[in-house]
Every structure is written in C-alpha cells, then in structure tokens.
Amino acid sequence: MSWKAFYRFLLILGGGFLPFESANLHALNSETQAEPLAPLVEIKIFPPEILLGGARSNQRILVQGYYADGYSEDLTEKARLQTPDSKIIKIESFTVYPISSGSTTLQATIGNRTTTARVQTSHIEKPAEWNFRNHVI
C-alpha cells in the first residue's frame, strides 16, 4: 500500500481527522469545553427507579441532558442532587446510599430544569449474612 492510499484510508477511517492536520484539531480540555448552541430541553436521571436492597448497597447516578437540536450529553457533574427525606438516603459524589428502609424521591436540577427518580430502600436494618463461599473464596 502506498503512502497516499494509506493517507486516504486514515482520512476515511478518522472522519477527516489526522494529528498533523492543524485545521481539523478540535482538542477540548477542561478550560475550553464546547457548549451546545441549542437550548436544554429536558434532563433525565438514570436509572429512573432506584432499588437499594441492603445496608451495603449503593447506586451511581447519571444525569443526561437533551437539547433542542437532538444533541445529548452527560450533565451529571453540573447537576444539583437532593432528596426531600434525608433520613432514608444520602447522596455523596453522585452516588445514593441507604440510611433506613422506606421510599423517597431523588431530585436533579440544572438551571430551570428539574427531574425526579423514585428511590426504594429495604432490608437496611437487617444485618448482613456472610457466606464463606460468596464472601471469602
């Protein structure tokens, strides 16, 4: 394969991006994040229903934003998470941990957009039953 054929192959494979083509460099870092031009239409929490079935259980939360032009992105780091009943769950670093058995909601807010997810916790007061085969081996 000649270098020209290889170059064409890289253009097709990389969608026109090659490291030595300065016109196509779109390097983004934490200081220069590209912001979508379309307005934020909706946000959703994933998973939409959280079931925590023991004292050692937890669930990582993802907040996805959807824009008017069809673009979507992970907005978890920009979201403000809260719960109306802090006696049932606690939220640390976008992870939900159970405190006591019961049900509550988890609310995510970004700007003027808000969404909720149901949270159900059970068997929190029950001590963990250790099994040699499952927990040691």
Side-chain angles (χ1 to χ4, degrees):
M1 176 182 284
S2 72
W3 70 271
K4 288 182 181 181
F6 183 68
Y7 179 77
R8 271 188 249 125
F9 170 75
L10 288 177
L11 284 175
I12 293 169
L13 182 69
F17 173 78
L18 286 176
F20 47 85
E21 290 182 5
S22 61
N24 287 331
L25 287 179
H26 297 289
L28 295 177
N29 57 34
S30 61
E31 294 84 30
T32 61
Q33 288 290 329
E35 292 295 327
L37 299 177
L40 182 63
V41 175
E42 178 185 25
I43 60 173
K44 290 184 181 178
I45 297 176
F46 291 101
E49 185 174 342
I50 302 165
L51 303 172
L52 301 172
R56 295 177 45 170
S57 60
N58 64 65
Q59 178 67 55
R60 175 94 167 128
I61 300 301
L62 174 81
V63 179
Q64 190 75 13
Y66 299 92
Y67 294 89
D69 62 356
Y71 178 75
S72 73
E73 73 174 317
D74 179 4
L75 297 175
T76 306
E77 295 293 326
K78 296 177 182 178
R80 186 175 50 111
L81 298 176
Q82 59 189 15
T83 181
D85 195 351
S86 60
K87 294 180 181 180
I88 295 179
I89 61 171
K90 69 177 178 177
I91 306 162
E92 292 179 358
S93 301
F94 306 104
T95 303
V96 177
Y97 298 94
I99 296 175
S100 64
S101 295
S103 63
T104 186
T105 58
L106 174 69
Q107 184 178 42
T109 304
I110 299 175
N112 62 350
R113 302 285 179 207
T114 301
T115 188
T116 60
R118 294 185 312 169
V119 181
Q120 179 73 38
T121 61
S122 60
H123 308 294
I124 306 306
E125 292 80 16
K126 184 179 174 184
E129 294 181 18
W130 294 96
N131 180 304
F132 184 77
R133 172 175 270 167
N134 294 332
H135 295 97
V136 177
I137 297 180

